[in-house]
Amino acid sequence: MKTLDREHVRSVVNTIFSQLLHTTPIDVIKSWGISKMYATQIVKNVNGEDFTMAALVMQVNGFQFQGKVYIVLDEGSDYYRIYGEKDGTTKEYHHDIAFYELGDVLE
């Protein structure tokens, strides 16, 4: 497994968080019931190949989803991917999300 540099992960997650805050009203973000938020790296299979990616992880308690949400910047395409983890199972919910669509897709 490839490991990303800690500073790189921090920088990418700061970008994700900044773009989320600038494109989504704060009352919408608050409605997700976020109890925990942190930066990490995850390995996911994209188009048949494993990639290590920086991710913003949020523990949410929303109306439609309760569990962990992973927001990942696919640096190869400059689009976002959203994964959800519930009961130990991770599933990709959306991919090829432009930064200005991020809040709407999460909502």
Side-chain angles (χ1 to χ4, degrees):
M1 173 179 97
K2 179 183 172 188
T3 302
L4 300 175
D5 177 74
R6 186 180 214 142
E7 269 310 305
H8 179 75
V9 172
R10 186 174 299 138
S11 174
V12 170
V13 170
N14 280 339
T15 298
I16 296 168
F17 186 66
S18 175
Q19 289 183 338
L20 181 63
L21 286 178
H22 285 91
T23 60
T24 311
I26 195 68
D27 57 327
V28 170
I29 293 173
K30 286 182 178 181
S31 75
W32 299 338
I34 299 169
S35 61
K36 217 184 267 186
M37 188 180 298
Y38 58 93
T40 193
Q41 56 184 318
I42 62 173
V43 177
K44 292 294 174 193
N45 189 288
V46 178
N47 299 324
E49 194 172 335
D50 284 344
F51 284 96
T52 303
M53 301 176 280
L56 171 64
V57 183
M58 300 183 297
Q59 180 70 40
V60 301
N61 189 21
F63 295 114
Q64 295 182 5
F65 184 82
Q66 296 83 36
K68 288 183 184 176
V69 173
Y70 296 79
I71 305 172
V72 177
L73 177 60
D74 184 342
E75 295 181 74
S77 68
D78 274 346
Y79 285 101
Y80 287 100
R81 294 177 173 273
I82 297 175
Y83 297 91
E85 181 182 313
K86 191 172 185 178
D87 302 325
T89 303
T90 304
K91 173 183 165 187
E92 183 175 39
Y93 283 91
H94 299 281
H95 59 87
D96 296 336
I97 304 164
F99 78 92
Y100 57 84
E101 301 172 308
L102 192 54
D104 289 337
V105 172
L106 285 167
E107 182 58 23

